[in-house]
């Protein structure tokens, strides 16, 4: 892979590859010509990009000549409409692989008027990815000698690795929920039911990255503006932001591997109506805070997919608050029959995705637990409207 953000690569950077004799490797492949537009060319393209995603990621570079894998020149390729050509490649990759991969395509302009086209495939933690173009059903990996078709043993190992990552995430989340349930938060918290949000990138448990979280600042805990401010400190896990008060009512922990744990006490119980969850306030807390978590992860450089887990702790016997119109149309609320509602993780493929439609199916499950079919605070398109319909 070219050691530079793809949007910043210039002709000078490509010339440096030639001058330094940077040979093809597991993460870098040179091609003189663009792939043919026929079916064979499309299959070859899909095999190449999926082999990178299934292994360590990498760059497929079109418009560079090579000899024995060592670049010898940059003649470039002729492209009439770069935007249209990029859309064509992206469409082939999007429709020809299952599951889809994360990739970026860019045409680097040359002084000659031609281009070098680069397709950067990110290493996937959500694979292996299969070529499905026109009935094809093959998996590819990559070594320093190029791509190869995965055999049964390779496939078994790939699936086991993917399962191991998701199992690690499930175990981490379960461990943290149990700790919070048993009164072992990462900062002293007030008593009461807890609303918990975990945001966990698959790469955090696969590649085990270490981000510079100690310099983060200005991150509000969930609903902190309603709590009179907050402070921050470094701890063993990374950096934690704690709402004012002793004990506190909220904190957001940023782990060094990019995982976020946000906890809020007080939003799942009402001082005016004991035993009742203020449904509108609690959903607003979730829907408004998830985009902030996405922003933190983007700032750190975390790569999707990201799993989002919402948990409600200490809620046995509580009911959801509903207004008269909801009661007339949906019936009365029943009490939650368990101490912890550990809702299924949400898979997020893009950190710029609007939060509300992602959250609706999960938040509906809380209403199911109280005898309702769905949250009344979303419209038909899955947008959170913050009021009853």
């Amino acid at each position: 892979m070219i050691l530079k953000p793809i949007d910043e690569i210039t002709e000078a950077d490509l010339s440096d590859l030639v001058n330094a004799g940077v040979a093809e490797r597991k993460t870098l492949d040179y091609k003189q010509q663009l792939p043919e537009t026929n079916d064979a060319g499309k299959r070859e393209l899909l095999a190449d990009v999926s082999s990178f995603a299934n292994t360590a990621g990498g760059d497929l570079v079109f418009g560079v000549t090579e000899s024995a894998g060592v670049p010898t020149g940059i003649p470039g390729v002729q492209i009439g409409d770069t935007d249209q050509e990029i859309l064509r490649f992206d469409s082939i990759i999007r429709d020809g692989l299952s599951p889809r991969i994360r990739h970026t395509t860019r045409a680097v302009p040359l002084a000659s008027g031609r281009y070098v086209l680069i397709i950067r495939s990110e290493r996937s933690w959500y694979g292996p990815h299969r070529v499905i173009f026109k009935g094809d059903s093959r998996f590819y990996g990559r070594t320093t000698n190029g791509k190869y078709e995965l055999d049964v043993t390779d496939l078994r190992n790939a699936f086991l690795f993917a399962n191991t990552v998701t199992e690690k995430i499930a175990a981490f989340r379960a461990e943290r929920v149990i700790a919070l349930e048993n009164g072992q938060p990462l900062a002293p918290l007030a008593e009461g039911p807890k609303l918990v949000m975990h945001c966990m990138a698959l790469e955090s448990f696969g590649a085990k990255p270490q981000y510079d979280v100690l310099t983060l600042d200005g991150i509000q805990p969930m609903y902190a503006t309603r709590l009179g401010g907050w402070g921050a400190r470094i701890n063993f896990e990374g950096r934690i932001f704690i709402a004012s008060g002793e004990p506190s009512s909220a904190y957001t922990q940023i782990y060094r591997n990019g995982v976020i744990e946000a906890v809020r006490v007080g939003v799942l119980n009402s001082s005016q109506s004991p035993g009742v969850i203020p449904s509108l306030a609690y959903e607003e807390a979730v829907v408004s805070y998830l985009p902030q978590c996405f922003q933190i992860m983007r700032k750190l450089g975390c790569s999707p997919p990201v799993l989002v887990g919402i948990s409600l702790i200490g809620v046995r016997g509580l009911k959801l608050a509903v207004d008269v119109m909801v009661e007339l149309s949906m019936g009365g609320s029943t009490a939650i029959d368990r101490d912890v509602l550990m809702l299924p993780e949400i898979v997020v493929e893009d950190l710029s995705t609007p939060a509300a439609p992602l959250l609706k199916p999960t938040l509906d499950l809380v209403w199911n637990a109280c005898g309702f079919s769905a949250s009344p605070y979303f419209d038909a398109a899955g947008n959170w409207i913050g009021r009853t319909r």
Side-chain angles (χ1 to χ4, degrees), residues 93-332:
I93 296 169
R94 181 180 62 248
D95 298 336
L97 297 175
S98 179
R100 293 178 179 177
I101 67 168
R102 289 180 55 80
H103 74 285
T104 307
T105 308
R106 177 164 181 250
V108 180
L110 304 178
S112 64
R114 295 165 74 87
Y115 295 88
V116 166
L117 188 80
I118 303 173
I119 301 177
R120 174 166 292 176
S121 300
E122 296 184 16
R123 178 177 182 177
S124 176
W125 308 103
Y126 207 52
H129 301 268
R130 175 168 56 103
V131 176
I132 58 171
F133 177 72
K134 289 195 173 181
D136 207 338
S137 184
R138 286 180 286 184
F139 297 84
Y140 293 89
R142 199 164 194 89
T143 67
T144 54
N145 296 320
K147 65 179 179 294
Y148 66 98
E149 187 172 351
L150 300 183
D151 61 20
V152 174
T153 300
D154 295 325
L155 282 173
R156 183 184 298 114
N157 291 337
F159 281 112
L160 285 174
F161 177 76
N163 289 337
T164 298
V165 172
T166 54
E167 287 170 1
K168 286 180 179 178
I169 289 176
F172 168 82
R173 185 184 172 205
E175 178 183 319
R176 290 303 308 140
V177 168
I178 291 171
L180 289 164
E181 184 184 13
N182 291 334
Q184 300 171 4
L186 296 174
L189 285 177
E191 295 294 326
K194 300 175 182 66
L195 173 62
V196 183
M197 178 184 295
H198 285 107
C199 296
M200 306 160 289
L202 269 66
E203 71 171 7
S204 296
F205 296 83
K208 299 181 180 179
Q210 294 290 299
Y211 296 106
D212 184 14
V213 302
L214 303 187
T215 59
L216 289 174
D217 208 359
I219 295 173
Q220 301 180 22
M222 195 184 302
Y223 261 28
T225 53
R226 304 190 180 192
L227 300 174
W230 67 93
R233 62 180 174 83
I234 297 170
N235 61 4
F236 180 78
E237 288 77 13
R239 189 156 174 83
I240 189 168
F241 298 83
I242 309 171
S244 301
E246 295 183 6
S248 178
S249 293
Y251 72 75
T252 294
Q253 173 72 55
I254 317 295
Y255 289 80
R256 288 181 173 84
N257 65 356
V259 168
I260 298 174
E261 175 177 294
V263 185
R264 177 72 162 91
V265 177
V267 76
L268 293 179
N269 53 331
S270 170
S271 57
Q272 289 79 22
S273 303
V276 175
I277 297 174
S279 57
L280 182 60
Y282 122 76
E283 283 199 7
E284 181 184 19
V286 175
V287 173
S288 63
Y289 201 68
L290 185 56
Q292 296 184 51
C293 292
F294 288 170
Q295 184 177 5
I296 295 168
M297 298 186 90
R298 287 197 300 268
K299 184 175 182 179
L300 289 175
C302 300
S303 297
V306 169
L307 298 187
V308 176
I310 309 296
S311 304
L312 283 64
I313 299 174
V315 291
R316 183 188 292 271
L318 299 186
K319 298 181 179 182
L320 281 171
V322 293
D323 62 26
V324 175
M325 294 305 296
V326 173
E327 287 188 326
L328 289 175
S329 62
M330 300 171 65

